[in-house]
Amino acid sequence: MLTPEKKPQATTPKDELTYVQKVWQTVTIVTLLVITILIARVAFNVLLMVMCGTLISVYFHGLGDLIERNTTLSRKWAMTISVGGSFILLGLVLWFMGNTLETQIAQLSNSLPGTINNFKAKLSESPVGQKVLEYFAGDDDDSSKKLMATAQSFFNTSFGVLGNIYIIFFLGIFFTSDPDLYKNGILLLLPENRKFTGRYIINRISLALKGWLKGMMLSIVLITIMLFIGLSIMHIPVAIVLALIAGMLKIIPNFGSLAAMIPGVLLALTISTQTAIIVSLIYIVSQTIVSNIITPIIQNKMINLPPALTIISQIIMGTLSGVLGIIMAVPLLAIVFILVDELYVKPMNLKKAQLAAGVDLP
């Protein structure tokens, strides 16, 4: 006789997690994710400092190459002159201009509050200006709190910047003393059939960074000289400091030039509105001339970076790492472009060419 088949009973797997276990598993995953994000953010700041140290090393080696090509000195002596001469030149500049800079910086810090108050007074004379002042105005308590928060942020940032400069300086010295040690260390991580490509990519990145650094240094020097001459002709006080500020802010593309204009135009307003307009034109013309001369030099050594992507990268890097991120946004974007070009675009174009030629791909 045929016996009726028994229906299988639904059984609960022994390894199924209970509700409490699932909750703890979720909490653990979220915690690990948060910790990973925090570590990645700290590691990203460390990466930027490593890049800054690399740029210092690139500068020393670029200057050493220039000395070696134009003299009969050996590589060792060329690098010694490059490093030692740079520090001696910096020390001499600070020694000769130290008193003047100290006096003008003190004068600028003393005159800016009164200049800002005069600007507010002139702005309040028009209806539009009154609305602008009302929009940015707040209660006294709020202003005091903002002032205290700004002061605390300033001191924290200052000490943090000093620590970062200390680390970046020594990283640059170590990278300069023995660059092959770190380059070969990176190549050791690659398989044997990829070492040639890796070495080529490293050399291409080094060439791009040298081009960016060369163009940036030329831009800083030209902007500083041109603005110092123009502001001195217009009898703007603290012309040296304003020119140096504009030169240093030139390292921040797009936004640095705009920020550099603010103190110069505010001081010019204390003289007259016409002077402020002329000073604004001096800033704009100087930036335009330098950009038209220096930008082609940079683009000959670097890839042509789209302006929109440059601004987007600055915003993202500024959000992640502040001023240091904004400064390093352009060289980091150039490195990303080179990596994408070498590791994805060129292999893809090669595969397309092989398919078009009827070559069987492995």
Side-chain angles (χ1 to χ4, degrees), residues 12-49:
T12 304
K14 293 182 180 180
D15 57 348
E16 184 178 353
L17 298 178
T18 63
Y19 176 76
V20 176
Q21 290 173 330
K22 290 180 179 179
V23 171
W24 278 109
Q25 187 183 55
T26 304
V27 171
T28 303
I29 293 173
V30 173
T31 304
L32 290 175
L33 182 62
V34 172
I35 293 174
T36 303
I37 293 174
L38 293 176
I39 293 175
R41 183 169 183 177
V42 174
F44 187 72
N45 292 332
V46 173
L47 175 63
L48 290 181
M49 288 192 289

Side-chain angles (χ1 to χ4, degrees), residues 89-107 240-241 244:
L89 180 61
L90 179 61
L92 289 175
V93 171
L94 293 177
W95 184 54
F96 281 115
M97 299 181 61
N99 293 331
T100 304
L101 286 176
E102 184 178 0
T103 303
Q104 292 202 3
I105 288 173
Q107 183 180 351
I240 294 179
V241 174
L244 287 174

Side-chain angles (χ1 to χ4, degrees), residues 202-243:
I202 291 175
N203 292 334
R204 186 179 170 187
I205 290 174
S206 176
L207 183 63
L209 293 179
K210 283 182 181 179
W212 177 81
L213 199 59
K214 182 191 298 183
M216 193 56 60
M217 291 180 65
L218 287 174
S219 299
I220 291 172
V221 171
L222 287 177
I223 280 290
T224 302
I225 293 174
M226 293 175 66
L227 282 179
F228 173 69
I229 295 174
L231 295 177
S232 298
I233 292 174
M234 296 302 298
H235 302 288
I236 302 298
V238 297
I240 294 179
V241 174
L242 292 175

Side-chain angles (χ1 to χ4, degrees), residues 58-331:
V58 167
Y59 161 75
F60 286 137
H61 280 279
L63 184 58
D65 293 339
L66 182 64
I67 296 173
E68 188 178 8
R69 284 196 305 266
N70 293 278
T71 62
T72 58
L73 296 174
S74 63
R75 179 66 180 176
K76 180 180 179 180
W77 281 108
M79 289 302 301
T80 302
I81 295 174
S82 172
V83 177
S86 297
F87 284 112
I88 292 172
L89 180 61
L90 179 61
L92 289 175
V93 171
L94 293 177
W95 184 54
F96 281 115
M97 299 181 61
N99 293 331
T100 304
L101 286 176
E102 184 178 0
T103 303
Q104 292 202 3
I105 288 173
Q107 183 180 351
L108 179 63
S109 61
N110 292 330
S111 61
L112 268 182
T115 303
I116 294 174
N117 291 330
N118 292 335
F119 176 71
K120 289 181 178 180
K122 291 184 179 182
L123 199 62
S124 62
E125 295 175 358
S126 63
V128 177
Q130 291 177 0
K131 292 182 180 180
V132 172
L133 291 176
E134 290 175 358
Y135 177 79
F136 287 101
D139 297 333
D140 294 336
D141 293 338
D142 294 337
S143 301
S144 300
K145 291 179 181 178
K146 291 178 180 179
L147 182 61
M148 290 298 296
T150 303
Q152 292 175 358
S153 175
F154 171 78
F155 284 108
N156 292 333
T157 304
S158 298
F159 289 116
V161 167
L162 290 177
N164 291 342
I165 291 175
Y166 180 82
I167 295 172
I168 291 168
F169 171 76
F170 277 98
L171 285 175
I173 295 297
F174 291 142
F175 293 157
T176 303
S177 61
D178 194 359
D180 292 334
L181 174 65
Y182 304 98
K183 185 186 297 185
N184 294 332
I186 295 174
L187 295 176
L188 284 176
L189 302 176
L190 302 177
E192 195 64 34
N193 60 341
R194 295 292 182 181
K195 290 187 184 296
F196 178 80
T197 303
R199 186 175 286 105
Y200 174 77
I201 292 175
I202 291 175
N203 292 334
R204 186 179 170 187
I205 290 174
S206 176
L207 183 63
L209 293 179
K210 283 182 181 179
W212 177 81
L213 199 59
K214 182 191 298 183
M216 193 56 60
M217 291 180 65
L218 287 174
S219 299
I220 291 172
V221 171
L222 287 177
I223 280 290
T224 302
I225 293 174
M226 293 175 66
L227 282 179
F228 173 69
I229 295 174
L231 295 177
S232 298
I233 292 174
M234 296 302 298
H235 302 288
I236 302 298
V238 297
I240 294 179
V241 174
L242 292 175
L244 287 174
I245 290 174
M248 289 186 292
L249 289 178
K250 183 63 180 176
I251 201 171
I252 304 176
N254 304 314
F255 305 110
S257 303
L258 180 62
M261 288 181 58
I262 296 175
V265 174
L266 286 177
L267 287 176
L269 279 173
T270 60
I271 300 175
S272 67
T273 305
Q274 183 180 0
T275 304
I277 295 173
I278 296 174
V279 168
S280 301
L281 291 176
I282 291 174
Y283 274 95
I284 294 172
V285 171
S286 301
Q287 297 288 351
T288 302
I289 292 175
V290 171
S291 298
N292 289 334
I293 294 175
I294 300 304
T295 299
I297 298 176
I298 299 175
Q299 290 181 351
N300 285 337
K301 297 295 182 180
M302 290 181 62
I303 53 177
N304 192 0
L305 300 176
L309 282 183
T310 302
I311 295 175
I312 293 172
S313 66
Q314 286 180 305
I315 295 173
I316 294 174
M317 295 292 292
T319 304
L320 292 175
S321 300
V323 177
L324 183 60
I326 297 176
I327 293 173
M328 299 304 298
V330 174

